[in-house]
Amino acid sequence: QTVGQQALPLLQAIKSGNPLNPFQDQHQLRNEALLLLYYETGMRRAEALKLKGEHLIALGSSSPQVRVIRDPD
């Protein structure tokens, strides 16, 4: 099995509204977005916490994007 095939049950379970989704209803969409972000980009939690609204491009479209910008420390 490929990594994608192994991850498929998890990716299906985290979909908002899926009865297998372990998260509370009010957190399902947020957690789905975060877990997909981690899976698709390899981003770590600390990196995701630094994201700002302007880093998210075309939300609600068929191809949303994340622009990662290095901020000065």
Side-chain angles (χ1 to χ4, degrees), residues 32-62:
E32 178 185 0
L34 279 172
L35 291 169
L36 285 174
L37 179 69
Y38 300 152
Y39 176 75
E40 294 287 337
T41 66
M43 189 176 287
R44 292 175 287 225
R45 185 173 62 159
E47 295 167 320
L49 287 171
K50 291 183 179 183
L51 288 176
K52 298 178 180 151
E54 60 262 22
H55 297 151
L56 307 174
I57 304 165
L59 292 178
S61 76
S62 61

